[in-house]
């Protein structure tokens, strides 16, 4: 049987405590061949439903919390502000579209607004268009 274990004969009542799944092969004298338990309606209440697949493995020490961080990347916003700040590109990146358009049309208010944004990003006080802090990765 290639390492498989055969148990029985078992009554329907005894089968309820046996470790079977819908894929377990079963047979009785009314069946011509071995069949999967899941194909027999009379055994539908015998096996436990298959458990859901486990989530992707992610180690966390006991009692640790996993936090999903929201917000745009801090370094990307900082570099966009430094190199393309006069065009307000960092504002578009952080979903502040209306202010981005104003900065684009006024060249970042002649660079003053860009300088203020750069300082805010650098100090971690800048928020994206959803009100989230930028995420330092």
């Amino acid at each position: 049987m290639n390492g498989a274990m055969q148990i029985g004969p078992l009554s329907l009542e005894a089968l309820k405590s046996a470790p079977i799944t819908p894929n377990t092969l079963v047979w009785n004298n009314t069946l011509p061949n071995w069949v999967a338990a899941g194909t027999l309606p009379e055994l539908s209440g015998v096996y436990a439903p298959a458990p859901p697949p486990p989530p992707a493995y992610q180690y966390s020490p006991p009692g640790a919390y996993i936090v999903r961080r929201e917000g745009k990347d801090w370094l990307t916003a900082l570099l966009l502000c430094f190199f393309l700040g006069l065009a307000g590109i960092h504002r578009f990146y952080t979903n502040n579209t209306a202010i981005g358009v104003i900065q684009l049309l006024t060249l970042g208010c002649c660079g003053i607004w860009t300088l203020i944004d750069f300082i805010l990003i650098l100090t971690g006080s800048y928020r994206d268009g959803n009100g989230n802090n930028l995420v330092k990765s």
Side-chain angles (χ1 to χ4, degrees), residues 58-136:
Q58 186 174 25
Y59 172 75
S60 60
Y65 293 94
I66 297 174
V67 177
R68 190 176 130 223
R69 303 192 66 184
E70 296 182 8
K72 298 292 185 171
D73 183 57
W74 174 83
L75 183 60
T76 303
L78 185 71
L79 293 173
L80 285 172
C81 184
F82 184 79
F83 290 109
L84 301 169
L86 292 177
I89 302 301
H90 62 287
R91 287 287 184 165
F92 290 105
Y93 170 72
T94 58
N95 296 328
N96 290 308
T97 309
I99 298 173
V101 170
I102 294 170
Q103 283 191 348
L104 180 64
L105 296 175
T106 63
L107 290 177
C109 285
C110 299
I112 297 170
W113 203 343
T114 303
L115 179 62
I116 293 170
D117 280 351
F118 186 78
I119 293 169
L120 287 173
I121 295 170
L122 196 60
T123 61
S125 302
Y126 186 90
R127 296 184 178 269
D128 69 10
N130 299 323
N132 297 319
N133 287 327
L134 299 177
V135 177
K136 291 184 181 180

Side-chain angles (χ1 to χ4, degrees), residues 16-65:
K16 289 181 181 179
S17 63
I20 68 168
T21 68
N23 296 326
T24 302
L25 295 178
V26 294
W27 178 84
N28 71 15
N29 57 4
T30 63
L31 298 170
N33 293 314
W34 292 85
V35 295
T39 62
L40 300 174
E42 62 268 20
L43 296 182
S44 62
V46 171
Y47 48 83
Y57 178 76
Q58 186 174 25
Y59 172 75
S60 60
Y65 293 94

